[in-house]
Amino acid sequence: KKYKHIDIHTANISIAAFLTPRMIIKEIKSLEKKLNRPLSEIYDFVLITGLVRHDLKIVEEESGIKCYKSTRESSDISLLIDNLKNIKLSTKDYADDQIAKYLRMESEKLIKKYEEMPLSKGDIKVGSLKIGDNYPMRVLGEIVHTPWLKDKELEKKITYYVESGVDMIDLGMVSNEDHSKDLRRIINIARDITDKPISIDTLNTKELIEGIKLDIDMVLSVDGGNVKELLPHLKDGETVSVVLPTNYRLNNVPEGALERVKHLENNIRKLIENDIKVIGDLILEPINNSNCNFIESVMAYRLFRERNNIPMFFGVGNVSELFDADSNGVNALLAAIGSEVGGNILFTPEASSKCKFSIRELKNSSKMMFLAKKRKSLPKDVGYNLINYKDKKFDEITTYDNYRDV
């Protein structure tokens, strides 16, 4: 039902939260006297601020008009009014939780609708997972130094990542070591636990070739220094290549945004010519990095997407792990930036304590940004949020002085 006529009545009290059922009944009786007719003949119901502590059932019993609790904050009343047909109002509980549940349900429906869409031009599959602009950004969780972990430790890590909502599992190898002989065992452990896509993260060519031979879903990373050696092996299977703009064998890491884009385009050219699926990684740089800084690397992502319809890899962990701040808000903002520049895979380890729960945080952030983009709205009141430590509706007594250094 669409309510076309809504009136606002200001009660004779300075703070609405201090209203009691008796005071509300008194206000109704006063209004009825002025109008010379019962309120129930004019209105369907009355909404009172959700901060009123009492059960409002008695109001209907004594006045004849239904009386329900609204939201805690007046700014959310319009959200309630817009969704009244889907909300079960209560005389005891404020409506915020009902709104949150409804928004989450509608958000899940919308995401499911897009998840069921077929691949479009520029989209690819990694294993059975769709990657592209019509789907939420996928979260790839890296398990660092995988070969150093005992089997049970690796199983525990993978299980934790899956329970955190990860879309893909990355098996990080050890720099300057060759563990190609361990890969079959490591990959088998991962595949015994989950059917989510598996990748390996290494610049060791032997490990990359062995991973491709074992039908790994994705390899990180292909660059100008190893692409020729990997090309014959990649042509034989379905392994997706995450390609860098670098040539680490020659210690060549382009710095400027345009230079970085051109190098990446050159590195992916032969792969695309051979129908090998690629994902571009412009390399997201840490904040205040001495060579190529964070903003310059973000500009490279934006420029690459303007020139190419190729999925992009956004290495969030490069920033969050090198930033002494709680990961919650950092991940939310990085996911928002990734979404704006057209990123499709959000990559993170959980290597440090400050970045624990990053996978969960990025998964929520990805949904927030996807919903905001598809609805052409701000990432606010979309059914998901990343507010863990501060309520966006502060108590009046909360001030900066309440915070203490830990």
Side-chain angles (χ1 to χ4, degrees):
K1 183 178 181 179
K2 188 78 172 176
Y3 294 94
K4 296 180 180 178
H5 187 78
I6 299 170
D7 281 333
I8 298 170
H9 172 71
T10 304
N12 186 25
I13 190 170
S14 57
I15 299 174
F18 291 168
L19 281 167
T20 65
R22 288 292 166 199
M23 294 170 72
I24 295 167
I25 292 167
K26 186 178 179 182
E27 291 286 333
I28 290 173
K29 296 293 184 187
S30 176
L31 266 174
E32 288 179 335
K33 190 174 181 181
K34 285 182 182 178
L35 297 168
N36 198 29
R37 59 191 293 202
L39 238 55
S40 57
E41 292 181 3
I42 306 171
Y43 303 104
D44 293 282
F45 55 85
V46 174
L47 285 175
I48 305 294
T49 173
L51 289 171
V52 170
R53 296 178 181 274
H54 310 80
D55 187 344
L56 302 178
K57 183 67 177 172
I58 192 174
V59 176
E60 180 184 356
E61 292 172 350
E62 295 201 16
S63 70
I65 186 166
K66 294 175 181 177
C67 186
Y68 300 114
K69 290 192 178 183
S70 177
T71 55
R72 290 179 295 175
E73 302 294 326
S74 59
S75 58
D76 292 327
I77 291 175
S78 59
L79 193 61
L80 174 62
I81 297 296
D82 289 343
N83 295 285
L84 269 176
K85 65 179 180 180
N86 306 296
I87 304 295
K88 187 176 180 181
L89 295 169
S90 170
T91 62
K92 292 181 179 180
D93 304 314
Y94 49 77
D96 298 64
D97 290 343
Q98 285 279 337
I99 293 172
K101 285 176 185 176
Y102 173 71
L103 290 176
R104 173 67 65 91
M105 182 180 69
E106 290 300 299
S107 296
E108 287 172 354
K109 284 182 186 176
L110 184 61
I111 290 173
K112 185 179 179 182
K113 172 190 165 186
Y114 278 96
E115 291 284 12
E116 292 172 351
M117 289 180 66
L119 295 178
S120 302
K121 188 176 180 181
D123 298 341
I124 64 170
K125 269 190 176 182
V126 178
S128 60
L129 186 67
K130 300 170 186 174
I131 308 289
D133 294 341
N134 278 328
Y135 315 104
M137 293 178 289
R138 306 307 189 181
V139 179
L140 174 60
E142 181 193 22
I143 300 172
V144 298
H145 299 149
T146 304
W148 290 352
L149 299 178
K150 295 177 181 178
D151 289 1
K152 291 294 181 185
E153 290 176 316
L154 180 55
E155 289 171 10
K156 187 177 179 181
K157 282 268 188 183
I158 294 170
T159 301
Y160 163 68
Y161 275 23
V162 171
E163 289 174 349
S164 297
V166 79
D167 296 301
M168 313 158 74
I169 299 283
D170 182 59
L171 305 170
M173 306 307 283
V174 181
S175 182
N176 299 316
E177 293 185 14
D178 179 14
H179 290 275
S180 51
K181 292 179 180 178
D182 297 319
L183 270 173
R184 183 178 294 275
R185 172 185 59 84
I186 292 168
I187 292 170
N188 284 343
I189 290 171
R191 285 182 170 154
D192 283 345
I193 295 171
T194 180
D195 59 359
K196 294 180 183 294
I198 306 294
S199 66
I200 55 167
D201 187 0
T202 179
L203 283 167
N204 182 302
T205 305
K206 287 184 179 179
E207 290 175 340
L208 288 169
I209 291 172
E210 183 63 20
I212 294 164
K213 287 179 178 178
L214 293 168
D215 296 322
I216 197 82
D217 296 300
M218 188 166 72
V219 288
L220 289 61
S221 298
V222 180
D223 80 345
N226 60 27
V227 64
K228 287 183 180 178
E229 290 175 77
L230 296 175
L231 189 57
H233 302 280
L234 288 165
K235 285 199 287 189
D236 294 335
E238 290 295 316
T239 300
V240 177
S241 299
V242 175
V243 187
L244 301 175
T246 58
N247 186 326
Y248 279 116
R249 284 189 183 172
L250 300 179
N251 200 28
N252 180 8
V253 182
E255 295 179 7
L258 181 58
E259 183 188 4
R260 194 166 281 204
V261 169
K262 286 181 176 179
H263 275 75
L264 179 56
E265 289 171 341
N266 186 56
N267 287 347
I268 65 177
R269 189 171 292 114
K270 285 189 178 180
L271 295 168
I272 292 174
E273 286 171 357
N274 285 276
D275 295 322
I276 295 165
K277 293 184 287 187
V278 299
I279 294 170
D281 181 3
L282 283 302
I283 309 176
L284 190 65
E285 297 289 355
I287 302 291
N288 205 32
N289 195 38
S290 57
N291 296 318
C292 178
N293 62 35
F294 171 75
I295 294 297
E296 189 75 17
S297 66
V298 171
M299 288 167 60
Y301 276 97
R302 186 63 176 262
L303 181 59
F304 181 81
R305 175 42 67 96
E306 288 172 355
R307 292 161 58 119
N308 302 276
N309 187 19
I310 292 171
M312 292 197 303
F313 183 99
F314 203 69
V316 171
N318 295 354
V319 178
S320 58
E321 289 285 351
L322 298 172
F323 193 175
D324 277 346
D326 290 321
S327 64
N328 194 54
V330 173
N331 281 331
L333 188 55
L334 289 172
I337 293 169
S339 175
E340 287 219 346
V341 298
N344 303 105
I345 295 176
L346 301 172
F347 173 78
T348 189
E350 289 192 10
S352 63
S353 296
K354 70 188 175 212
C355 289
K356 190 171 175 62
F357 310 126
S358 280
I359 289 168
R360 209 168 292 176
E361 292 162 2
L362 287 172
K363 185 74 171 183
N364 256 3
S365 300
S366 168
K367 290 178 180 178
M368 285 172 63
M369 293 312 305
F370 181 75
L371 291 161
K373 184 177 280 189
K374 294 304 177 186
R375 291 170 175 169
K376 295 180 171 57
S377 73
L378 297 172
K380 180 180 181 294
D381 295 324
V382 294
Y384 295 88
N385 68 71
L386 229 67
I387 301 170
N388 291 347
Y389 309 116
K390 300 176 185 177
D391 193 332
K392 66 178 180 179
K393 301 173 177 66
F394 283 104
D395 292 330
E396 289 181 5
I397 59 169
T398 303
T399 66
Y400 182 78
D401 293 334
N402 295 128
Y403 295 95
R404 296 289 182 267
D405 288 337
V406 178

